[in-house]
Amino acid sequence: MSFKITQAETVTVPVPYTDPIQGPKEFKATWKLHPWKEYRAIVDAQQAGTKADEELLEDLVSLEGIEDSETKEKIQHCQALVDAAMSVTFIRRPLILSWFAAQEGRSRAATKN
C-alpha cells in the first residue's frame, strides 16, 4: 500500500489577545512546523524548564496585523516588532501559546491571557 500524508513546513495561526485599553484584538503568527519527535523534545524541554519561551521564537517566520498604537498603521515584521511583542505581557503569552497551536494543528491560539 502506498500513500502520502500532507506535510507543511509552516502554518499561520490567529493570535487573539485583549488589549486593556483597546479591547479584544488579533494578529497572525506564522511558525515553522516540526516533525512529531522534534516537537515532543521541545515540549519536554519546555516543561522541564530547559527551553525558554524566547527559544521558541527561533521558529517564528513572521508576525502580521500588529498596528502602531498611535498611527494605527500595520507594522512590518522585523526583530524590533518581535522584541516589542514579547515585552508586552498581554501579547507575550498568547504569542507563545500560538507556537503550540501551530504545531498541534489548532486553528487558534488560546484566548485566555
Side-chain angles (χ1 to χ4, degrees):
M1 180 187 312
S2 177
F3 59 87
K4 186 172 183 169
I5 296 177
T6 301
Q7 293 189 5
E9 292 184 18
T10 63
V11 68
T12 301
V13 293
V15 183
Y17 67 98
T18 301
D19 182 309
I21 297 170
Q22 300 177 30
K25 307 218 24 122
E26 181 177 283
F27 63 92
K28 293 184 181 216
T30 300
W31 295 97
K32 172 187 165 195
L33 297 176
H34 291 280
W36 172 251
K37 287 184 180 183
E38 288 178 29
Y39 163 76
R40 280 305 324 159
I42 292 168
V43 170
D44 290 345
Q46 270 260 301
Q47 292 173 340
T50 59
K51 188 168 191 81
D53 288 348
E54 288 79 6
E55 292 177 81
L56 296 178
L57 297 176
E58 295 169 4
D59 295 334
L60 183 63
V61 175
S62 68
L63 295 177
E64 300 172 42
I66 298 178
E67 298 176 345
D68 181 292
S69 61
E70 291 180 5
T71 67
K72 305 299 181 205
E73 292 181 16
K74 301 278 187 204
I75 304 169
Q76 293 296 314
H77 177 81
C78 63
Q79 188 59 48
L81 176 59
V82 175
D83 294 343
M86 288 295 286
S87 72
V88 178
T89 306
F90 58 84
I91 294 176
R92 178 189 177 100
R93 186 74 182 144
L95 176 57
I96 293 303
L97 290 174
S98 77
W99 181 90
F100 294 93
Q103 299 301 319
E104 296 168 5
R106 289 184 271 135
S107 63
R108 297 182 72 79
T111 56
K112 286 190 172 184
N113 283 336

